[in-house]
Amino acid sequence: MASESAERLDRASTQWLKDWIGLVEDYQQIKANHQKLKLMLDDYAKHPAKIGKILKNVKNSRARVSGTSFADSDEHLGQLDKMEKELLDIRATLPKPNSLVLQIILGDLNVQMRNEKEKFAYKEKYEIFKLRVTIITCFLAVSCWLFPSRTLDAVLHFLFVWYYCTVTIREHVLRANGSRIKGWWLIHHYISTVISGLLLVWPDVHLGVIYRPTFIYFSIYMGMTQFIQTYYQRSSLIKRETLMGARGREISTDGVRGKTLSDLRFLIPFLFGAYIFQFYNAYMLLSLWYSAGASFHALWCGALFAVVGAGNSTTTLMVLWAKYKQKKD
């Protein structure tokens, strides 16, 4: 019995020693990897400055090559143009410092994400958030149409205020992580927040009733358009994930590309229908202010609707032109 106990004790001691050696090795490996990661993060933080320095050197090199007449100058200029384009693309995808809005709301909280997987996951949640709120606003707008009520109207306007504030913060986070959201869409959401807030506190009950059906129809139409737009943007996001996953694999992405382009062609009429509706809102609100003596709320909402309609139309046309040129090239 004593020998068996001693033997079991020896086996237990041997197993513990193996576990201890494995634990020490894992500990040392984690420490080494952590040091490497710190060095990589430090180097990554210096990346934008390094890219800026290289871009400056590219510009100087182009100026020197342009002033010479050696045989390979055209080839070198082409290489420099390619380098500059690729460097600008790389810099556009790098995380950016917190914007002033994020600094005011979140302080110095670091919103940078560690890898592309986290960025895609956040973008996906952003699109799902927009889709869910769109469905809720459509349902609420239809309820306002079927059951006229000042309370329901106030809830709808408040929902729009909350939505535009929230989505703007999320877009600032996306931009801080390299997303190429155009600045106009952020301005558009700021303006939409102000419009929703003014409509929420509009004191002219009688004149507000005159404009109310137009705004309800506009909200329903915008909800439908937003639903289609969110579907297109999610398709584009899936396309990007597919393209990135295809690196190093033999798969075709032509079908994915064609699908999103087809979705965009389907979306365009709805978008410009929404922009025309925004101009009509501006016309109606300004008419109420000018001819019916509505309060300044109608004046400011009308003017802001006109700005939003013009900005949306111009930005969308610029995006379509850029896509057309990219497809042509």
Side-chain angles (χ1 to χ4, degrees), residues 111 113-130 132 170 173-174 177 179 234 237-238 240-241 244:
V111 297
M113 296 167 199
R114 293 171 294 179
N115 50 54
E116 290 297 324
K117 185 177 180 180
E118 288 187 357
K119 293 177 185 179
F120 278 124
Y122 188 83
K123 177 71 173 174
E124 177 73 9
K125 291 178 181 178
Y126 162 76
E127 297 296 345
I128 293 173
F129 166 77
K130 290 198 299 181
R132 288 174 177 171
R170 293 189 181 218
V173 173
L174 287 170
N177 284 276
S179 182
R234 290 193 67 188
L237 184 64
I238 292 171
R240 286 183 57 197
E241 290 181 298
M244 293 193 67

